Amino acid sequence: MIVVMSHKASEDDIEAVLLRLEKNGFKIHLSQGVERTIIGAIGDKTRLGDLGLEAMPGVEKVVPILQPYKLASRTFHEEGTVVRVGDLEIGGNAVHVMAGPCAVENREQLLSTARLVKEAGATMLRGGAFKPRTSPYSFHGLEEEGLKILAEAREATGLLVVTEVMDARTLPMVAEYADVLQIGARNMQNFFLLKEVAKVDKPVLLKRGPSATIEEWLMAAEYIMAGGNYNVILCERGIRSFDNFTRNTLDLTAVPAVKHLSHLPVIVDPSHAIGKWRFVPAMARAAIAAGADGLLVEVHPNPAEALCDGPQSLTPENFSAMMDDLRQIAAVMGRKMG
Amino acid sequence: MIVVMSHKASEDDIEAVLLRLEKNGFKIHLSQGVERTIIGAIGDKTRLGDLGLEAMPGVEKVVPILQPYKLASRTFHEEGTVVRVGDLEIGGNAVHVMAGPCAVENREQLLSTARLVKEAGATMLRGGAFKPRTSPYSFHGLEEEGLKILAEAREATGLLVVTEVMDARTLPMVAEYADVLQIGARNMQNFFLLKEVAKVDKPVLLKRGPSATIEEWLMAAEYIMAGGNYNVILCERGIRSFDNFTRNTLDLTAVPAVKHLSHLPVIVDPSHAIGKWRFVPAMARAAIAAGADGLLVEVHPNPAEALCDGPQSLTPENFSAMMDDLRQIAAVMGRKMG
Amino acid sequence: MIVVMSHKASEDDIEAVLLRLEKNGFKIHLSQGVERTIIGAIGDKTRLGDLGLEAMPGVEKVVPILQPYKLASRTFHEEGTVVRVGDLEIGGNAVHVMAGPCAVENREQLLSTARLVKEAGATMLRGGAFKPRTSPYSFHGLEEEGLKILAEAREATGLLVVTEVMDARTLPMVAEYADVLQIGARNMQNFFLLKEVAKVDKPVLLKRGPSATIEEWLMAAEYIMAGGNYNVILCERGIRSFDNFTRNTLDLTAVPAVKHLSHLPVIVDPSHAIGKWRFVPAMARAAIAAGADGLLVEVHPNPAEALCDGPQSLTPENFSAMMDDLRQIAAVMGRKMG
Amino acid sequence: MIVVMSHKASEDDIEAVLLRLEKNGFKIHLSQGVERTIIGAIGDKTRLGDLGLEAMPGVEKVVPILQPYKLASRTFHEEGTVVRVGDLEIGGNAVHVMAGPCAVENREQLLSTARLVKEAGATMLRGGAFKPRTSPYSFHGLEEEGLKILAEAREATGLLVVTEVMDARTLPMVAEYADVLQIGARNMQNFFLLKEVAKVDKPVLLKRGPSATIEEWLMAAEYIMAGGNYNVILCERGIRSFDNFTRNTLDLTAVPAVKHLSHLPVIVDPSHAIGKWRFVPAMARAAIAAGADGLLVEVHPNPAEALCDGPQSLTPENFSAMMDDLRQIAAVMGRKMG
């Protein structure tokens, strides 16, 4: 960490900073320039947050040098992590597509969707039993009934199940049925929930919050890993920007960026990012071309009748055509579809 | 709501939309122009989310006309709402300042801060017992011990207590000690938690999420109100923008905007928005001049020793000087300090 | 256009709006609901900006229905436009890569780069003779000398030249040497300059402004087209967001979105968007997979010695490897490299 | 500046960086830690942009320590600058309000507005003769005729005139009539234009670009100052954010922030930032309470008939009421209205 002192800092101000750094076990390099004094401090980055240096008199700014995450960092673990879900390997050579409706609406809807996406090449089934909705007056999911339908679809098709957990109280119930626990974008910094899923022996799919920097996203992963669960799959799903033509702005550069910074697998959810099915296949192709390890895609047998997020759902026909393209893009990347 | 059909929509597409609208009880006005057909639909706005119109063939876009919130809307309740907290009235003539440290660190720190802010004119005490922190390695609060210290400070000074509740499980504990339950910015769309605080007979201070639009913020208030708790105080605390010189961008225009759209009281937290104590007094004055009903301000007896957010905390001296200015600004606004 | 009247609007307010719309040649549909009156108006969208309806008493909001651009719209011109540059066709089957250094630094640098990118498969040469720089103390380009070097490189390699024009006064000089006139991101709404390039008989490459919505970008294209120059190539180059890990956020969804809304060709500049060469090849692949008609890429024989934007420049070796991948992605898209 | 080397950097990589720094006259401090090597370099910050360090092998990141602007910095000039416009002093004790219509529409409109704002206490007249408009089909201003009307209004009322210059070619014409040259938000990084106004002996009002950081804004001021014109007045006018309820997000914290970083006077334009007249008075009060040196406000005798930006224009009555409030807020700040 670099501490830049104000050009008005007194000798006492500088002394006080040096003292606090030393007291906290940092090794110090002092540069006294004409314009200002700069203090380099090397030590345990994880304590940095609580040192309070920026509030000390004469301190102009504190510039962190090392990343604040450790377990999630590629420096810590050079090889890419492969997260195992049943027989599947997320982050290995195979590209995995997790498909299904936004919400589990009923048995027929889910089972028919599951069969169709399985046939087209998906390896996992998505579908919400608990739905976070902006309006208190919208459909909020079938809850345990929805989870049971998901489990039945797994039996029927062999697709593994990823579904959202919204709350610590319902976590045991969701963990009983799901193969992968999804943390939704709005819960990315729900630290209580992160600590709870850290204790469960199931892989976690961690969506990026709509206003989370890549660093904050990796810090959320760090929470889960620090709690003992190393099976974290990251999922880019769009960030909030000023342009509202699409629902969010899909930040595909986050894929190679996260692969550079971290060893964790990264997948992409183009459906939620964009909010318009028409642009989903193009961005699914782009995601694989950018190096994503998989996709989370909404498919509905009849989008116009969907209880949730119909406008962003592909029909089974569109999904199947998209999968054909993805197979070819994956081949260019030296990968196969999972 | 207005449904704009694509210029390529067929007669059948239009028929299907009309049918669905009628089936859902909407009254319809049809405009068939040369370039495209536009359908006006008047009915129960709260159902709008689940109609799925945007996913129907031939539909180009759906433009909502009415606001999606109802109980939080000024149309619903023309008079400004006054939220009572003990003997205090938030949203009445008096401007209330809620002050204290970011986190409760120990008995001495809190009690001395409480006495100092009381003396300077604050009417409520803030202080976190549960702290959401970006890093799993930071200080996370004293939990119940912190709540007890807050209650003791209330006894000692008469200041009422506002403190954050982070999770449904700890809600009963927090509600036992707090006078106002704070929902933090990161939890603004934690819908499970919103539903839970809706059931508690305590006022709720609802912080705006860092990437929440004003409409989404009012929808979060709607959740609490729809669950039966009408005592909601809104708190602007900065939104995320591209400029990182300050921690967030304080959106003060949200104060008159929310007062126009809603009947709920609005306060401002300049400390978290800005992240640098130096600019807090200027923005506190601006907030009152913009019409805010109060402030949430961080004060620490020794910011450089704070376990959390020292850089944004005022010293008691700075706080006291700020309060003198605020009294004068409030007087210009025809208000007094609470 | 839809005019939504306030629920407090009087009969006179409504009358006044109707009168103004009729006076301006709009056809009107009136919907008087219980909660509010809604006026649909059909007419010449291009006049809409000057009607002043939103400032009339009783008007709550005005919702435009049609796009404000016309010549740039796909409704106006259903077929995709192919822009011819010499023998090249931008927007046709072939994907074109425009490569070269950020700035023309000297004869040797440019000629060697030109030969290397030509060999690797580029069809056009990029290089700035006039450089907009954030700092007045940075290198600002060789000006006419730079243009002459670009022309010499064209002679030597057959690569056509795209270079930025920053100002109406230097436009004739730039137009004398360039094959394509580039309007930089910061000048996207320099309306004087747009009107001037509209009068020149050269294709224009129009970069998206870092805070421009897709609609504003297409309105900038409309300026050029309305002035008589229909040969506009759009170039996505990243938008400003809250995350600063990359220089800007590359909005690749803009590629299929613009192709849906407009008939103009769209290319992508991953180098400027990202600012770090390491992530450029991944996003170049993604751009082609998303349907882009070409790329603008920075290549420098020795990035560490570049006078401008070295960190985002590929070495010739990296560029060549990237081109091999792009050929395969283009093939999947049913296209060939230009 | 701090150069952070990658943990994989070789001895040769480090040597090469040291060599380049020394060759460019930097004084060096080397910290070789266990995890990585950090190089501190002290020297002429203005050369920093062209060193290309970030592109050198083994360099992880370059962290600038000093601000990239010099003449605009408060370190360079501790006292606040007072810009003289005729007899007025911008940045002194008096708060100045510059008011008038968005565009000069005709003689009657401007003269009557000028008289009304003068009477209410404005000291300067604003009004556009050249209007940058998003649509090529909108009203673009009366050009020289508009400038003549502005000059006539100055004669008639004594109000000094601030008006926008959009282009180097029309600069001499605008400079002939205007007392202050306004650089519009979209031109904040039109570096050619900045260099031209730097040569003119008139104060410049420099609006912040809608996606400009505070640092970029001060760099634009640096361009003008480096060119020889030190009379720069900064004007905050809203930044682009994700929330579209108001046109832009007024970043009032920029007022105390810029006053801290720079010695230049700062005014605020709430009309353009917000786009809705209803919220303008509240934010005008807030701006003065935050420490602004003045305001730029749109006033129109009949906003509903305005050719430009009617929705954000105050009526003369609303303007006059607002001025009464501002006088009181200014008094609290120890200032008087100009």
Coordinates of all heavy atoms in Angstrom, one line a residue, chain A residues 20 50 54-55 133-137 139-140 167 169 186 189-192 196 211 216 219 222-223 240 303-305 307 310-311, chain B residues 20 50 54-55 133-137 139-140 167 169 186 189-192 196 211 216 219 222-223 240 303-305 307 310-311:
Chain A
R20 N 1.7 3.9 13.2 CA 0.6 3.0 13.1 C 0.9 1.8 12.2 O 0.5 0.7 12.4 CB -0.7 3.8 12.6 CG -1.9 2.8 12.5 CD -3.2 3.4 12.3 NE -3.5 4.5 13.4 CZ -4.6 5.1 13.4 NH1 -5.6 4.9 12.6 NH2 -4.8 6.0 14.3
D50 N -9.1 -1.9 8.0 CA -9.4 -1.4 9.4 C -8.3 -0.4 9.9 O -8.3 -0.1 11.1 CB -9.6 -2.5 10.3 CG -10.8 -3.3 9.9 OD1 -11.7 -2.8 9.2 OD2 -10.9 -4.5 10.3
E54 N -6.7 6.8 6.1 CA -7.2 7.9 5.3 C -7.8 9.0 6.2 O -8.0 10.1 5.8 CB -8.2 7.4 4.3 CG -7.5 6.9 3.1 CD -8.4 6.8 1.9 OE1 -9.5 6.2 2.0 OE2 -8.0 7.3 0.8
A55 N -8.1 8.6 7.4 CA -8.7 9.6 8.4 C -7.6 10.3 9.2 O -7.9 11.2 10.0 CB -9.7 8.9 9.3
R133 N -38.7 -10.0 -7.2 CA -39.4 -9.2 -8.2 C -39.5 -7.7 -7.7 O -39.7 -7.5 -6.5 CB -40.9 -9.7 -8.4 CG -40.9 -11.1 -8.9 CD -40.2 -11.4 -10.2 NE -40.8 -10.6 -11.3 CZ -41.8 -11.1 -12.0 NH1 -42.4 -12.3 -11.7 NH2 -42.3 -10.4 -13.0
T134 N -39.3 -6.8 -8.6 CA -39.3 -5.4 -8.2 C -40.6 -5.0 -7.6 O -40.7 -4.1 -6.8 CB -39.0 -4.6 -9.5 OG1 -37.8 -5.1 -10.1 CG2 -38.8 -3.1 -9.2
S135 N -41.7 -5.6 -8.0 CA -43.0 -5.2 -7.5 C -43.6 -6.2 -6.5 O -43.5 -7.4 -6.8 CB -44.0 -5.1 -8.7 OG -45.3 -5.0 -8.2
P136 N -44.1 -5.7 -5.4 CA -44.7 -6.7 -4.5 C -46.0 -7.3 -5.0 O -46.5 -8.3 -4.5 CB -45.1 -5.8 -3.3 CG -45.2 -4.4 -3.8 CD -44.2 -4.3 -5.0
Y137 N -46.5 -6.8 -6.2 CA -47.7 -7.3 -6.7 C -47.5 -8.4 -7.8 O -48.4 -8.8 -8.5 CB -48.6 -6.2 -7.3 CG -48.7 -5.1 -6.2 CD1 -48.2 -3.8 -6.5 CD2 -49.3 -5.3 -5.0 CE1 -48.4 -2.8 -5.5 CE2 -49.4 -4.3 -4.0 CZ -49.0 -3.0 -4.3 OH -49.1 -2.1 -3.4
F139 N -45.8 -12.1 -9.5 CA -45.7 -13.5 -9.2 C -44.3 -13.7 -8.5 O -43.3 -13.3 -9.0 CB -45.8 -14.3 -10.4 CG -45.5 -15.8 -10.3 CD1 -46.4 -16.6 -9.5 CD2 -44.5 -16.4 -10.9 CE1 -46.2 -17.9 -9.4 CE2 -44.2 -17.8 -10.8 CZ -45.1 -18.5 -10.0
H140 N -44.3 -14.4 -7.3 CA -43.1 -14.6 -6.6 C -42.5 -16.0 -6.5 O -41.6 -16.3 -5.8 CB -43.2 -14.0 -5.2 CG -43.1 -12.5 -5.2 ND1 -44.2 -11.7 -5.5 CD2 -42.1 -11.6 -4.9 CE1 -43.9 -10.5 -5.5 NE2 -42.6 -10.4 -5.1
D167 N -32.5 -16.4 0.7 CA -32.6 -16.1 2.1 C -32.1 -17.2 2.9 O -32.2 -18.4 2.6 CB -34.1 -15.9 2.4 CG -34.5 -15.8 3.8 OD1 -34.2 -14.7 4.4 OD2 -35.0 -16.7 4.3
R169 N -33.1 -18.5 5.7 CA -34.1 -19.4 6.2 C -34.5 -20.5 5.3 O -34.8 -21.6 5.6 CB -35.3 -18.7 6.7 CG -35.0 -18.0 8.1 CD -36.3 -17.2 8.4 NE -36.7 -16.5 7.2 CZ -37.9 -15.8 7.1 NH1 -38.7 -15.9 8.2 NH2 -38.2 -15.2 6.1
R186 N -29.0 -9.2 -7.0 CA -29.3 -8.2 -6.0 C -28.8 -8.7 -4.6 O -28.8 -7.9 -3.7 CB -30.9 -8.1 -5.9 CG -31.5 -7.4 -7.1 CD -33.0 -7.2 -6.8 NE -33.7 -6.7 -7.9 CZ -34.4 -7.4 -8.8 NH1 -34.4 -8.7 -8.7 NH2 -35.1 -6.8 -9.8
Q189 N -24.1 -8.8 -2.5 CA -23.5 -8.3 -1.3 C -24.4 -8.4 -0.1 O -24.3 -7.7 0.9 CB -23.1 -6.8 -1.5 CG -22.0 -6.7 -2.5 CD -21.3 -5.3 -2.5 OE1 -22.0 -4.3 -2.4 NE2 -20.0 -5.2 -2.6
N190 N -25.2 -9.5 -0.1 CA -26.0 -9.9 1.1 C -25.1 -10.8 1.9 O -25.0 -12.0 1.7 CB -27.3 -10.6 0.6 CG -28.1 -11.0 1.8 OD1 -27.7 -11.1 2.9 ND2 -29.4 -11.2 1.5
F191 N -24.3 -10.2 2.7 CA -23.1 -10.9 3.3 C -23.5 -12.0 4.2 O -22.9 -13.0 4.4 CB -22.2 -9.9 3.9 CG -21.6 -8.9 3.0 CD1 -21.9 -7.5 3.2 CD2 -20.9 -9.2 1.9 CE1 -21.4 -6.6 2.3 CE2 -20.4 -8.3 1.0 CZ -20.7 -6.9 1.2
F192 N -24.7 -11.8 4.9 CA -25.2 -12.9 5.7 C -25.5 -14.1 4.9 O -25.1 -15.3 5.3 CB -26.5 -12.5 6.4 CG -26.4 -11.9 7.7 CD1 -25.4 -10.9 8.0 CD2 -27.2 -12.3 8.8 CE1 -25.3 -10.4 9.3 CE2 -27.1 -11.8 10.0 CZ -26.1 -10.8 10.3
E196 N -23.7 -17.9 4.8 CA -24.5 -19.2 5.0 C -24.2 -20.2 3.9 O -24.0 -21.4 4.1 CB -26.0 -18.8 5.0 CG -26.4 -18.1 6.3 CD -26.1 -18.8 7.6 OE1 -26.3 -20.0 7.6 OE2 -25.5 -18.2 8.5
S211 N -24.4 -3.2 -10.0 CA -23.5 -2.0 -9.9 C -22.2 -2.5 -9.2 O -21.6 -1.6 -8.6 CB -24.2 -0.9 -9.2 OG -24.4 -1.2 -7.9
E216 N -15.3 -5.9 -6.5 CA -16.4 -6.2 -5.5 C -17.0 -7.6 -5.7 O -17.3 -8.3 -4.7 CB -17.5 -5.2 -5.5 CG -17.0 -3.8 -5.0 CD -17.9 -2.7 -5.4 OE1 -18.8 -2.9 -6.3 OE2 -17.8 -1.6 -4.8
M219 N -14.6 -10.0 -4.4 CA -14.7 -10.0 -2.9 C -15.9 -10.7 -2.4 O -15.8 -11.3 -1.3 CB -14.8 -8.5 -2.4 CG -13.5 -7.7 -2.5 SD -12.1 -8.6 -1.6 CE -12.5 -8.1 0.1
E222 N -14.8 -14.1 -2.4 CA -13.9 -14.3 -1.3 C -14.7 -14.7 0.0 O -14.2 -15.5 0.8 CB -13.1 -13.1 -1.1 CG -12.0 -13.2 -0.1 CD -10.7 -13.8 -0.7 OE1 -10.6 -14.0 -1.9 OE2 -9.7 -14.0 0.1
Y223 N -15.8 -14.0 0.2 CA -16.6 -14.3 1.4 C -17.0 -15.8 1.4 O -16.9 -16.4 2.5 CB -18.0 -13.5 1.3 CG -18.0 -12.3 2.2 CD1 -17.7 -11.1 1.7 CD2 -18.5 -12.4 3.5 CE1 -17.7 -9.9 2.5 CE2 -18.6 -11.3 4.3 CZ -18.2 -10.0 3.8 OH -18.3 -9.0 4.6
R240 N -25.4 -2.0 -14.7 CA -26.3 -0.8 -15.0 C -25.5 0.3 -15.6 O -24.5 0.7 -15.2 CB -26.8 -0.3 -13.6 CG -28.0 0.6 -13.8 CD -29.1 0.3 -12.8 NE -30.3 0.2 -13.4 CZ -31.5 0.0 -12.7 NH1 -31.4 -0.2 -11.4 NH2 -32.6 -0.1 -13.3
P303 N -43.2 -18.0 -24.7 CA -42.7 -16.7 -23.9 C -43.9 -15.8 -23.7 O -43.9 -15.1 -22.6 CB -41.7 -16.1 -24.8 CG -41.1 -17.3 -25.6 CD -42.3 -18.2 -25.8
A304 N -44.8 -15.7 -24.6 CA -45.9 -14.7 -24.4 C -46.8 -15.0 -23.3 O -47.6 -14.2 -22.8 CB -46.7 -14.6 -25.7
E305 N -46.8 -16.3 -22.8 CA -47.6 -16.7 -21.7 C -46.8 -16.8 -20.4 O -47.3 -17.1 -19.3 CB -48.3 -18.1 -22.0 CG -49.1 -18.1 -23.2 CD -50.4 -17.3 -23.0 OE1 -50.8 -17.1 -21.8 OE2 -51.1 -17.0 -24.0
L307 N -45.0 -16.2 -16.9 CA -45.4 -15.4 -15.7 C -44.3 -14.4 -15.4 O -44.4 -13.6 -14.5 CB -45.7 -16.3 -14.5 CG -47.0 -17.2 -14.7 CD1 -47.2 -17.9 -13.4 CD2 -48.2 -16.3 -15.0
G310 N -41.0 -13.0 -19.9 CA -41.2 -13.6 -21.2 C -40.4 -12.9 -22.3 O -39.8 -13.5 -23.2
P311 N -40.3 -11.5 -22.3 CA -39.6 -10.8 -23.4 C -38.2 -11.2 -23.6 O -37.6 -11.0 -24.7 CB -39.7 -9.4 -23.0 CG -40.9 -9.3 -22.0 CD -40.9 -10.6 -21.3
Chain B
R20 N -56.0 -10.3 -25.0 CA -55.4 -10.5 -23.7 C -55.7 -9.3 -22.8 O -55.9 -9.5 -21.6 CB -53.9 -10.7 -23.8 CG -53.3 -10.9 -22.5 CD -51.9 -11.4 -22.5 NE -51.7 -12.6 -23.2 CZ -50.5 -13.2 -23.3 NH1 -49.4 -12.7 -22.7 NH2 -50.4 -14.3 -24.0
D50 N -47.3 -8.9 -15.0 CA -47.4 -10.3 -15.4 C -48.2 -10.5 -16.7 O -48.5 -11.7 -17.0 CB -48.1 -11.0 -14.2 CG -47.3 -11.0 -13.0 OD1 -46.1 -10.8 -13.1 OD2 -47.9 -11.2 -11.9
E54 N -45.0 -7.7 -23.9 CA -43.8 -7.5 -24.7 C -43.3 -8.7 -25.4 O -42.5 -8.6 -26.3 CB -42.7 -6.8 -23.8 CG -43.0 -5.4 -23.6 CD -41.8 -4.6 -23.1 OE1 -41.2 -5.1 -22.1 OE2 -41.5 -3.6 -23.7
A55 N -43.7 -9.9 -24.9 CA -43.2 -11.1 -25.5 C -44.2 -11.6 -26.6 O -43.9 -12.6 -27.3 CB -43.0 -12.2 -24.5
R133 N -19.8 -5.4 5.3 CA -18.5 -4.9 4.9 C -18.1 -5.6 3.6 O -18.3 -6.8 3.4 CB -17.5 -5.2 5.9 CG -17.8 -4.5 7.3 CD -17.9 -3.0 7.2 NE -16.6 -2.4 6.8 CZ -15.6 -2.1 7.7 NH1 -15.8 -2.3 9.0 NH2 -14.5 -1.5 7.3
T134 N -17.5 -4.9 2.7 CA -17.1 -5.5 1.4 C -16.1 -6.6 1.6 O -16.1 -7.6 0.8 CB -16.5 -4.4 0.5 OG1 -17.4 -3.3 0.5 CG2 -16.2 -4.9 -0.9
S135 N -15.3 -6.6 2.6 CA -14.3 -7.6 2.8 C -14.7 -8.5 4.0 O -15.1 -8.1 5.0 CB -13.0 -7.0 3.2 OG -12.1 -7.9 3.7
P136 N -14.5 -9.8 3.8 CA -14.8 -10.8 4.9 C -13.8 -10.6 6.0 O -14.1 -11.2 7.1 CB -14.7 -12.1 4.2 CG -13.8 -12.0 3.0 CD -14.1 -10.5 2.6
Y137 N -12.8 -9.9 5.8 CA -11.7 -9.8 6.8 C -11.8 -8.5 7.6 O -11.0 -8.2 8.5 CB -10.3 -9.9 6.1 CG -10.2 -11.0 5.2 CD1 -10.0 -10.9 3.8 CD2 -10.3 -12.4 5.7 CE1 -9.9 -12.0 2.9 CE2 -10.3 -13.4 4.8 CZ -10.0 -13.2 3.5 OH -9.9 -14.3 2.6
F139 N -13.9 -5.7 10.2 CA -14.7 -5.7 11.5 C -16.2 -5.7 11.1 O -16.7 -4.9 10.3 CB -14.4 -4.4 12.3 CG -15.2 -4.2 13.5 CD1 -15.2 -5.1 14.6 CD2 -16.1 -3.1 13.6 CE1 -16.0 -4.9 15.7 CE2 -16.9 -2.9 14.7 CZ -16.8 -3.8 15.8
H140 N -17.0 -6.6 11.7 CA -18.4 -6.8 11.3 C -19.4 -6.4 12.4 O -20.6 -6.7 12.2 CB -18.7 -8.2 10.8 CG -18.1 -8.5 9.5 ND1 -16.8 -8.7 9.2 CD2 -18.7 -8.5 8.2 CE1 -16.6 -8.9 7.9 NE2 -17.7 -8.7 7.3
D167 N -30.8 -8.9 8.3 CA -31.2 -10.2 8.0 C -32.5 -10.6 8.9 O -32.6 -10.1 10.0 CB -30.0 -11.1 8.5 CG -30.3 -12.6 8.5 OD1 -30.4 -13.2 7.4 OD2 -30.5 -13.1 9.6
R169 N -33.3 -13.2 10.4 CA -33.1 -13.9 11.7 C -32.8 -13.0 12.8 O -33.1 -13.3 14.0 CB -32.1 -15.0 11.5 CG -32.6 -16.2 10.8 CD -31.4 -17.1 10.6 NE -30.2 -16.4 10.2 CZ -29.0 -16.9 10.1 NH1 -28.8 -18.1 10.4 NH2 -28.0 -16.1 9.7
R186 N -27.5 -1.8 0.3 CA -27.3 -3.1 -0.4 C -28.5 -4.0 -0.2 O -28.6 -5.0 -0.9 CB -26.0 -3.8 0.1 CG -24.7 -3.1 -0.2 CD -23.6 -3.9 0.3 NE -22.3 -3.3 0.1 CZ -21.6 -2.7 1.0 NH1 -22.1 -2.6 2.3 NH2 -20.4 -2.2 0.8
Q189 N -33.2 -4.1 -2.2 CA -34.0 -5.0 -2.9 C -33.9 -6.4 -2.4 O -34.0 -7.4 -3.1 CB -33.7 -4.9 -4.4 CG -34.1 -3.6 -5.0 CD -34.1 -3.6 -6.5 OE1 -33.2 -4.2 -7.1 NE2 -35.1 -3.0 -7.1
N190 N -33.6 -6.5 -1.1 CA -33.7 -7.8 -0.4 C -35.1 -8.0 0.0 O -35.6 -7.6 1.1 CB -32.8 -7.8 0.8 CG -32.7 -9.1 1.6 OD1 -33.6 -9.9 1.4 ND2 -31.6 -9.3 2.3
F191 N -35.9 -8.5 -0.9 CA -37.4 -8.5 -0.8 C -37.9 -9.3 0.4 O -38.9 -9.0 1.0 CB -38.0 -8.9 -2.1 CG -37.6 -8.0 -3.2 CD1 -37.0 -8.5 -4.3 CD2 -37.9 -6.7 -3.2 CE1 -36.6 -7.7 -5.4 CE2 -37.5 -5.8 -4.3 CZ -36.9 -6.4 -5.4
F192 N -37.2 -10.4 0.8 CA -37.5 -11.1 1.9 C -37.4 -10.2 3.2 O -38.3 -10.3 4.0 CB -36.5 -12.3 2.1 CG -37.0 -13.6 1.5 CD1 -37.5 -13.6 0.2 CD2 -37.0 -14.8 2.2 CE1 -38.0 -14.8 -0.3 CE2 -37.4 -16.0 1.7 CZ -37.9 -16.0 0.4
E196 N -40.3 -8.8 5.9 CA -40.3 -9.0 7.3 C -40.4 -7.7 8.1 O -41.1 -7.7 9.1 CB -38.9 -9.7 7.6 CG -38.8 -11.2 7.1 CD -39.9 -12.1 7.6 OE1 -40.2 -12.0 8.8 OE2 -40.5 -12.8 6.8
S211 N -27.5 1.6 -7.0 CA -27.8 1.6 -8.5 C -29.3 1.6 -8.7 O -29.8 1.1 -9.7 CB -27.1 0.5 -9.2 OG -27.6 -0.7 -8.9
E216 N -37.5 2.5 -8.5 CA -37.2 1.2 -7.8 C -37.2 1.4 -6.3 O -37.6 0.6 -5.5 CB -35.9 0.6 -8.3 CG -35.9 0.1 -9.7 CD -34.6 -0.1 -10.3 OE1 -33.6 0.4 -9.8 OE2 -34.5 -0.9 -11.3
M219 N -40.6 1.6 -5.2 CA -41.2 0.2 -5.2 C -40.7 -0.6 -4.0 O -41.5 -1.4 -3.5 CB -40.7 -0.5 -6.5 CG -41.4 -0.1 -7.7 SD -43.2 -0.2 -7.6 CE -43.5 -1.9 -7.9
E222 N -42.9 0.5 -1.4 CA -44.2 -0.1 -1.6 C -44.3 -1.5 -1.0 O -45.3 -1.9 -0.5 CB -44.4 -0.2 -3.1 CG -45.8 -0.6 -3.5 CD -46.9 0.5 -3.5 OE1 -46.5 1.7 -3.3 OE2 -48.1 0.2 -3.7
Y223 N -43.2 -2.2 -1.1 CA -43.1 -3.6 -0.5 C -43.4 -3.5 1.0 O -44.2 -4.3 1.5 CB -41.7 -4.2 -0.6 CG -41.5 -5.2 -1.7 CD1 -41.2 -4.9 -3.0 CD2 -41.8 -6.6 -1.4 CE1 -41.0 -5.8 -3.9 CE2 -41.6 -7.5 -2.4 CZ -41.2 -7.2 -3.7 OH -41.1 -8.1 -4.6
R240 N -24.2 5.2 -7.7 CA -22.9 4.9 -8.3 C -22.8 5.6 -9.6 O -23.7 5.5 -10.5 CB -22.9 3.4 -8.5 CG -21.5 2.9 -8.8 CD -21.2 1.6 -8.1 NE -19.9 1.6 -7.5 CZ -19.4 0.6 -6.8 NH1 -20.0 -0.5 -6.7 NH2 -18.2 0.7 -6.2
P303 N -11.8 10.0 14.5 CA -12.0 9.3 13.2 C -10.8 8.5 12.9 O -11.0 7.4 12.3 CB -12.2 10.5 12.2 CG -12.8 11.6 13.0 CD -12.1 11.5 14.4
A304 N -9.6 8.9 13.2 CA -8.4 8.2 12.8 C -8.3 6.8 13.5 O -7.5 6.0 13.1 CB -7.1 9.0 13.0
E305 N -9.0 6.7 14.6 CA -9.0 5.4 15.3 C -10.3 4.6 15.0 O -10.4 3.5 15.6 CB -8.9 5.6 16.8 CG -7.7 6.4 17.2 CD -6.4 5.6 17.1 OE1 -6.5 4.3 17.0 OE2 -5.3 6.2 17.1
L307 N -13.0 2.0 13.7 CA -12.9 0.7 13.1 C -13.5 0.6 11.8 O -13.5 -0.4 11.1 CB -13.5 -0.4 14.1 CG -12.8 -0.6 15.4 CD1 -13.4 -1.7 16.2 CD2 -11.3 -0.9 15.2
G310 N -13.8 5.7 9.1 CA -13.2 6.9 9.7 C -13.1 8.1 8.7 O -13.4 9.2 9.1
P311 N -12.7 7.9 7.5 CA -12.4 9.0 6.6 C -13.7 9.9 6.3 O -13.5 11.0 5.9 CB -12.0 8.3 5.3 CG -11.4 7.0 5.7 CD -12.2 6.6 6.9

